[in-house]
C-alpha cells in the first residue's frame, strides 16, 4: 500500500466536504436542470463509487443502507437500475447529514482497505479519486447554475476586492511547424482511458493564440451584432440562438443598458481582462468565424501546450471565477477545440462496469482542453480531454483562436 | 376588533408551522411537479398575502425583505411580476429559517394591526386565514407527491396501528325529489366569492349514494379491466390513460402481484374499507359509466348534504390519510361532481387584486364537494366549491355515484 | 322507405362532392394541424360511416377495399383500431379519384338499401346525413386553416364585389324575464342525442345583445390593449395569449400597420360591419370582461332564440365568410356561450358504437350556439349544441354579450 | 461553353422528372417528418438553385413567380427569409403542374445561358447539377418514409422477381499497413468543397471487412438481444433505443413472428444476402461493439477504396433497394464511418451564399462513405463525404467493420 495514496484519499475526500460546507442542506438538495446534479448527490455518488467498486467485492463489507445503490448510481448500466437523472433533485431524504454519515462509513472502510491494499487495486482507487475531483468541479458549476436561477442571485462566497479593472495582456500568436507529433498519455502517472493510447498524429503547420479570447474582445463581437447575424454560425448553433434567445454568454444579464455577470461571488460588472467563459462551442465557433480564424484542434492545443511547458502548478485556493488573463499559456477556463470527442486509435474500454466510464459518451460531444478555475489541485493534465455537447454553457468554458500557417 | 379573529389568526398561523415542523429544511425546498409547491413557499406565500393586502397599504409598515414580493406572489397579475411557477423549487434561499423570520415579522405587524383593525378590513383578514388553510391542505398533498417520487418512499408520520381490515358500511341510496332548491352561500359567515350568490336552481328527482365508492368496490373495476377498456371512458380520459400509462389510482403500486398504496405513513396494503382516493375526474367518470350510474351534480350533492345535516364537526387531529368509511354522509375525501367550475348566476369578482382569487380559474376545471382528511379544522363548509382539472390526482379526491330517479 | 330521405341522401352526398370540386387532389391530401383533417379524409370518413353502420351489417355487402376501415374510422373505439389522427395527412393513397370510387360504390349500395329501408333504420341514415353535413362545415374550416399556412395565401373562390363598407346595425338589447323554461329537443324531427332530453331549466332575468359583436367593436378592444392586459382574461386564456403570441383573432395579419383578414376569397381589408369571428372562448370571455358584460349561457341563448323565432331559413348558396351583420337574431357565426359542454339531465348514450357520437366528448369543451356561414342548408337547429375546446379558433366562431337583469 | 455540360444539364434535369413521374401529384405534396421534404418541393428547390445563383444575377431574367424564392429556399440565410422546414408539406399550391411549368421556364433560360456560358460560371452550374442529384436520392428516401407511414404500405414500383434467396459472399478481411496517406479531393473533376483540400493523414495499420455487414449477420445481433442489452451501445444510442422503441432497423416489421422489410417495391421477406440498411450510426456502433470490432474511419475507408480501385461505374437503372451483396468493395449502401463530420485541415467556405452549402453543417453529424442504390449515375466519388446525424435511419445506410492491425 502506498502511504501517498492514503494521504491523497484523505485530502480529496476532505476537499469535497469543504466545498459542501459552503452550502446549506437546502442548497445541497436542488437540481436546476437535468444536466446538473445536487451537491448532496455528488457527495453520495462519489462515495457510492468507492463502495461499489472497491468495498462491495470484499467479503464482510456491510453496505451503509439498502437502496442507495439505486439512488446514487449515475449511469453504470452494468451495475443495475438507477434513479432517472432528472429526478435527482427530488431526494430530500436521505438528508445531507445522512450523506455525511454515508461518507464517514465508507471512508472508515476505505481507510482500512487502503492500509492493506493489493497493488492491483490501486488504479481503481486512483480512478475513484480523479472521479471525485471531477465531481468537485461539477459541485461548483452546478450550484452556480442553481443560484443563477434564483431571482435573488445569492452569492456563495463574499465578493473579493478587485483592484480596478486591469487590461488583458496583448494577444501573442505562436507558430508551430507541421509534422508528426506524439499525443495522448503514455507515461506512468494516472490518466483516464480516453487519453490513451499515446499515438502519432500528423499536424500541418499552424498558428495559435497565446491566450484565450478575453471578455473585452468578446464584447466587440456582441456589439457587432454577433448574436443577430446567422452568417457566422453553424446551422445548429444558429437554431439554438433563436430557440433559446441567446444574446450573450451565459450568466450575463443586461440591466439598465449595461452587461453584468453573475458569479459565485455575486452579480458584478464585466471585467474585460478576464477570459470569456460560459460560452458554448457554437459561440466559440461563431466568434472564430467572425474573427476570420478557427478553433485549434485538440492536438494542436496539446502540441502547443507541451512545447510551452504548460502542465505546471495548479490552482490551490478556492477560486469560483476565472482570474484575469495573465501572461502564459495556461489560464482559468476550459477551452473548446475543433475536435469531436472520439476514441483514439487503438482505444479499448476496460472490461466490466468501469469500462462505461468514458467510452460510451464518444459521440455528439466536442473536446475541451486545459482546466478551469474550478478544477481541483492535482487534477490538471496536459493530455486531459474534457468533453461536453456543443450547446453546453454551464461549465467555465472559453476558447482560444488558431489559423493555418 | 374581534378577539375571536385575533385568536383565529394565531391558531391558523400556528397550525401551518406545526405542519412544517414535521419536515426538514430539505423537505421544504423541493417541488416535484409544476402543480405542486414547496412547503417553504406555501409558508412564505401565505405570509406574503397578509403583507401585501393588509400591511403594505398601511403607512409605516417596513417590508421584511425586498424581492420577496417577486418570489412569493402566486398568480396576482395586478400586484406585479412574479417567479414562474415551475421555478418555485429552485429557491434554496431564503432558507426555511429565514422564512420563519418572515412569518414572525409579519405576525408581529399583523397582531398589532389586528388589535385596532377597522371592521371594514376584517373580511380581508378572514380571506387570508381561509387562504392559508387552503395551503395547509396543499402542504400535505404536495409533500405526499414529492415523497412518492423518492424511491425510498419516506414516511411523514409513523404508521398507525390499524386493527385489521374492517368492512365499509353497506351502500345505502338516498332518493331526493325534484324541485327548486336554494343553493350557494347566503348566510353571514365567511365564504369564498365563488360560493355566491345564493340562488335558486331546478333539480330533477335523483338518487344518490349514501357514501363514496370504497377501495374494495374500485378494485372490482380495476380487476374487470377498467383501465384497458375504452368504452367506459371520456375521450380525453382515455387519451390520458394511454399517455400516462395509468393502471390504478395514483400512489397505488403493484409489487409481487399485489397492490400497495403509498401513504404519508408509508407504503402499505390496500384497505378495502377506505374511500378510494387520488383518482381523477376521468377515473371517477369511467367508474360511474362502468357501474351504470353517473356522478352527482354539485347541486345534487349540496341539496343532499343540506338535507342530511352534513356540515357538522371537522377533523381536529392531524390525519394524513382518509379514515375507513363510516356511516354518515361526510367522509374523508373530496368528491368529484359532474359540474364544471363556472360562475354562479349573478357572480361578480371583487374589484382589485383579490378579485383574481377565484374568478379567473372558471374554465377547464370540475367542481369537487365535501372535504378531505387533509382539510383543516374550521375550513369545511356545505357550500364549499373545490376545483381541479379533470386529470388531477394528487389531491385526496374520491367520488360517490348518483342516478336519475 | 321515404322518398324524401332518398332525395336528401342524394342531395347531401352531392353537396360534399361539390365542395370537394373546388379543390385539387393536392389540396385534398393535406392536414395542417392535428385538429383538422384532409378533405379527402372527410369524403372517405363520411362514406365509411354509411358503410360501417348501414351496409356492413347487411348480408351480401362487399366492402370497397380492405383496410379502409382502419384508415377512415375517426374515433369509434368499439369499431376497432384506427389510424392516429395526426397521420391523416400522410395518406397520399388512396387518391382522391379512388375516394370518388369509394363514394360511388357506397352510394350505389345505399341507394339500393334506401329503396327498401326498414323504418327502424331511418334514424341511422338521418344520423349519417347530419354527420356528413357536419363534415361539410369542417371541409371549409380545415382547408381555410391549411391555405392560411401557405405563404401565398391562396383563394378558394374569387373575391366577391363588396359594395364599400357598410355599418353594422346598432346593438339592441333584449330583456327576458326569469322563470322556468323548457329547453332541449323534444319534437319529432332529427336532433343529435346531446340535445336531449328536453327538460325544464330555471333562468334568472337577463338582458342579451340583439346581435353578435362586430369587427368594428372588437377592434376597439384590440386597440385598447386587450391582448396585453391580463386583468380581462381567464388565467388559462392569458397563458395561451403569451404562449401563442396572440394579438388579434385568427387569420388577422398586420401588414404595414393595417390589419387584414385572410378569407377563403383571399386576403382583404377588415370589414367593421361583419361579426368578429375566429376567436376562441378565451377571447370572447376577455372581450366580455373588458366590456363589463358576460357571455350568455346556452339556455339564455336558446330561450331568446325561441322567443325571437330564430330558427328560420338557412343559407343556401356557398358562403365562405360571414356576411355583414344584418338586423335579426340569427347571424353567420357560431356563438360561444358561458356553458360547459355537459350532458343534459337524463341524457343517455345510445348502445353500441353510435353511442360514442357525442357523449364521450362531454368534458373540457364549451358550447357554441347558432350556425355559421359554413353550416349547410337544413343543418341549423334552435337546440343545436356545437362544442369546441376553449382555445379553438379555426371555426367561424364569434359571440354576443349578455348581462344580469 | 461545354457541350458536355449542356448535355449533362439536360440529362440530370430529365432524371429528376422521370423519378417524379412515378408519383401522383398527391404523392408529391406530402412531408412525413421534418427531415424529409415533398417531391414537389425537391423539384422546385433544385430549380430555385439555378434561378437564384445563375439566372437572377443576369440582366433581363424574369422570375417565374414572385414568392417562390420564399417557398423554395432551403437554408441559405444569406439569400433571405424562407418557409420553415416542417411546413413544406403544407404547400398544396403551387401544384405539381405549376412546378413543372417552373422547371420548364428555368430550363429554357438555363439552356440559353449555357449556350454562351462564361467558363468562370461553369463550376456553379456543376454545383447545381450535383446538388440536384443529391435531391434525386432524397426524393426516393423521403417518399419511402412517407409511404411507410401509410398503413396500406403502397409500392412505388412493382416487386421484382428475385430468384430465391442467395447467400452473401463470405466476408474477406483486407489488411492495410500504416503510414502517411493522401486523402481528399485534389484532382481536376468536380467535388464538393467538404472533400477539399487534399491533404496527408497518418494512418495506423488496420484490417477492414471486404464487404458491408449483411442482413443475415445483423439478424444474429437482433436475435442475441442486441436491442435489449445496453452494454453494446453508446449512451445516446441506448437512450434512443428506449425512447423510440427500436427493435430492429427501420422499415422492418414483425408480423406473425417473422420480420418483414418494407421496400419501395412493397413489403417482403428479409433477404439475408443483402447488406443491412436503414440503420443509424448508433446501431452500426452497437453491432460493431457486439462483434468485438469497430467502424472504420473515413480515411481508412478511403484508403481501402483507393487501393481496391473502387471508384468505377455507377448504377444506371433505377434501383429502389440495395442489391444482394456481390464480390467487390463497392456495394449498394452508404456506410457509416467512425469519423465525425468536420472540416479538413485548410478547409475554407466559398464566399457568399454558396459558402453555406456544406460548412455550416459541420457539427453533430457523422460521415458516411460510398454510395447507395439510390445514388444517381455519375454522382459517386471515392472522396465523397455524405453526412447525417447519428440517429438518422431513413437513408440507405449500412456499415462495414474494421479493427486495429
Amino acid at each position: 500500500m502506498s502511504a501517498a495514496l492514503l494521504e491523497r484519499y484523505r485530502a480529496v475526500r476532505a476537499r469535497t466536504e469543504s466545498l459542501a460546507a459552503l452550502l446549506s442542506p437546502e442548497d445541497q438538495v436542488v437540481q436546476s436542470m437535468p444536466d446538473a446534479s445536487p451537491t448532496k448527490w455528488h457527495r453520495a455518488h462519489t462515495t457510492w463509487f468507492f463502495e461499489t467498486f472497491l468495498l462491495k467485492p470484499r467479503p464482510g463489507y456491510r453496505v451503509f443502507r439498502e437502496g442507495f445503490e439505486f439512488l446514487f448510481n449515475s449511469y453504470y448500466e452494468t451495475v443495475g437500475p438507477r434513479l432517472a437523472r432528472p429526478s435527482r433533485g427530488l431526494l430530500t431524504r436521505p438528508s445531507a447529514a445522512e450523506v455525511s454519515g454515508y461518507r464517514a462509513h465508507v471512508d472508515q472502510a476505505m481507510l482500512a482497505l487502503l492500509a492493506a491494499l493489493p497493488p492491483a487495486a490501486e488504479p481503481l482507487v486512483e480512478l475513484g479519486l480523479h472521479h471525485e475531483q471531477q465531481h468537485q468541479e461539477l459541485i461548483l458549476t452546478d450550484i452556480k447554475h442553481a443560484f443563477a436561477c434564483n431571482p435573488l442571485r445569492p452569492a456563495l462566497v463574499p465578493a473579493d476586492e478587485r483592484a480596478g479593472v486591469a487590461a488583458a495582456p496583448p494577444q501573442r500568436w505562436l507558430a508551430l511547424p507541421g509534422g508528426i507529433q506524439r499525443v495522448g498519455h503514455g507515461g506512468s502517472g494516472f490518466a483516464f482511458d480516453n487519453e490513451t493510447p499515446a499515438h502519432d498524429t500528423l499536424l500541418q503547420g499552424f498558428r495559435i493564440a497565446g491566450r484565450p479570447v478575453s471578455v473585452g474582445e468578446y464584447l466587440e463581437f456582441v456589439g457587432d451584432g454577433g448574436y443577430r447575424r446567422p452568417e457566422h454560425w453553424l446551422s445548429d448553433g444558429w437554431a439554438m440562438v433563436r430557440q433559446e434567445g441567446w444574446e450573450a454568454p451565459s450568466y450575463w444579464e443586461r440591466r439598465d443598458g449595461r452587461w453584468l455577470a453573475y458569479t459565485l461571488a455575486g452579480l458584478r460588472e464585466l471585467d474585460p481582462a478576464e477570459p470569456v467563459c460560459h460560452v458554448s462551442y457554437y459561440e466559440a465557433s461563431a466568434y472564430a468565424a467572425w474573427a476570420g480564424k478557427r478553433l485549434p484542434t485538440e492536438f494542436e492545443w496539446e502540441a502547443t501546450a507541451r512545447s510551452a511547458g504548460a502542465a505546471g502548478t495548479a490552482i490551490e485556493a478556492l477560486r469560483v471565477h476565472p482570474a484575469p488573463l495573465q501572461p502564459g499559456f495556461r489560464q482559468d477556463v476550459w477551452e473548446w477545440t475543433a475536435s469531436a470527442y472520439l476514441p483514439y486509435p487503438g482505444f479499448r474500454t476496460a472490461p466490466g462496469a468501469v469500462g462505461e466510464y468514458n467510452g460510451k459518451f464518444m459521440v455528439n460531444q466536442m473536446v475541451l482542453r486545459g482546466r478551469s478555475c474550478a478544477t481541483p489541485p492535482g487534477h490538471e493534465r496536459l493530455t486531459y480531454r474534457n468533453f461536453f455537447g456543443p450547446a453546453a454553457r454551464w461549465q467555465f468554458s472559453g476558447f482560444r483562436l488558431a489559423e493555418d500557417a
Side-chain angles (χ1 to χ4, degrees), chain A:
Chain A
M1 196 281 311
S2 140
L5 185 60
L6 191 142
E7 185 43 43
R8 246 177 71 64
Y9 181 88
R10 281 191 213 271
V12 169
R13 297 283 289 171
R15 189 173 185 277
T16 300
E17 294 303 272
S18 74
L19 287 174
L22 300 169
L23 296 164
S24 72
E26 289 152 289
D27 292 335
Q28 293 190 37
V29 82
V30 84
Q31 177 180 33
S32 56
M33 64 166 172
D35 283 343
S37 296
T39 302
K40 187 169 66 179
W41 191 92
H42 286 300
R43 294 171 61 215
H45 165 66
T46 48
T47 304
W48 168 93
F49 190 98
F50 289 110
E51 185 178 57
T52 303
F53 296 118
L54 272 301
L55 297 176
K56 273 193 175 172
R58 315 281 153 180
Y61 175 73
R62 174 185 57 82
V63 300
F64 180 70
R65 182 160 168 195
E66 298 296 338
F68 276 23
E69 69 185 7
F70 182 82
L71 299 183
F72 299 124
N73 178 0
S74 54
Y75 55 68
Y76 294 83
E77 304 273 0
T78 319
V79 174
R82 62 187 188 279
L83 182 66
R85 175 160 197 149
S87 299
R88 291 176 185 168
L90 300 178
L91 299 179
T92 65
R93 303 178 182 197
S95 67
E98 283 173 282
V99 166
S100 297
Y102 181 35
R103 290 183 66 92
H105 174 90
V106 165
D107 282 347
Q108 187 175 22
M110 277 300 295
L111 292 174
L113 174 63
L114 286 171
L117 191 71
E122 288 192 15
L124 209 46
V125 177
E126 272 292 359
L127 181 62
L129 293 174
H130 284 271
H131 171 255
E132 182 141 350
Q133 289 181 306
Q134 292 182 305
H135 282 274
Q136 288 172 3
E137 179 148 3
L138 293 174
I139 285 174
L140 286 174
T141 55
D142 291 0
I143 200 67
K144 180 170 183 178
H145 189 274
F147 278 11
C149 294
N150 187 326
L152 302 180
R153 305 279 187 276
L156 180 72
V157 297
D160 52 352
E161 304 297 325
R162 291 229 170 156
V165 166
Q171 191 59 282
R172 204 172 51 87
W173 287 73
L174 314 172
L176 273 87
I180 289 181
Q181 288 276 349
R182 191 77 180 168
V183 291
H185 177 83
S188 55
F190 175 84
F192 288 116
D193 58 357
N194 62 8
E195 302 166 50
T196 66
H199 63 284
D200 288 339
T201 195
L202 179 61
L203 296 183
Q204 306 199 10
F206 64 98
R207 291 173 14 101
I208 188 167
R211 60 155 178 80
V213 169
S214 70
V215 164
E217 288 157 356
Y218 199 85
L219 265 171
E220 292 177 48
F221 170 66
V222 174
D224 194 36
Y227 286 80
R228 294 189 306 272
R229 292 162 55 184
E231 63 263 33
H232 307 313
W233 293 78
L234 289 164
S235 181
D236 287 359
W238 183 243
M240 191 67 59
V241 167
R242 309 249 310 211
Q243 177 190 310
E244 301 294 320
W246 286 351
E247 298 184 344
S250 196
Y251 301 131
W252 289 23
E253 51 189 282
R254 196 194 281 276
R255 296 203 175 175
D256 305 326
R258 288 178 316 149
W259 285 112
L260 303 180
Y262 172 71
T263 76
L264 280 171
L267 198 61
R268 61 169 173 72
E269 297 268 346
L270 293 186
D271 180 345
E274 286 175 6
V276 68
C277 76
H278 296 303
V279 293
S280 63
Y281 174 78
Y282 295 133
E283 288 159 296
S285 162
Y287 178 94
W290 170 81
K293 310 290 183 189
R294 60 171 175 82
L295 302 179
T297 67
E298 62 169 321
F299 297 139
E300 289 171 341
W301 192 99
E302 184 174 328
T304 310
R306 190 169 274 120
S307 79
T313 59
I315 299 165
E316 293 301 329
L318 175 68
R319 283 241 288 281
V320 301
H321 198 67
L325 289 159
Q326 305 293 333
F329 189 81
R330 197 179 49 174
Q331 304 285 346
D332 264 9
V333 287
W334 286 104
E335 300 179 26
W336 288 107
T337 72
S339 300
Y341 180 52
L342 293 173
Y344 282 175
F347 171 75
R348 291 251 154 204
T349 55
V354 293
E356 299 187 49
Y357 201 94
N358 276 313
K360 73 180 185 183
F361 301 108
M362 291 179 170
V363 69
N364 298 329
Q365 314 213 53
M366 302 303 290
V367 172
L368 301 98
R369 290 299 195 105
R371 64 103 192 262
S372 86
C373 58
T375 307
H379 193 64
E380 190 180 356
R381 197 160 48 248
L382 195 145
T383 57
Y384 200 105
R385 305 175 81 197
N386 203 348
F387 51 91
F388 284 94
R393 311 208 298 172
W394 90 110
Q395 297 302 305
F396 292 99
S397 49
F399 62 97
R400 76 177 69 212
L401 299 177
E403 66 184 352
D404 301 329

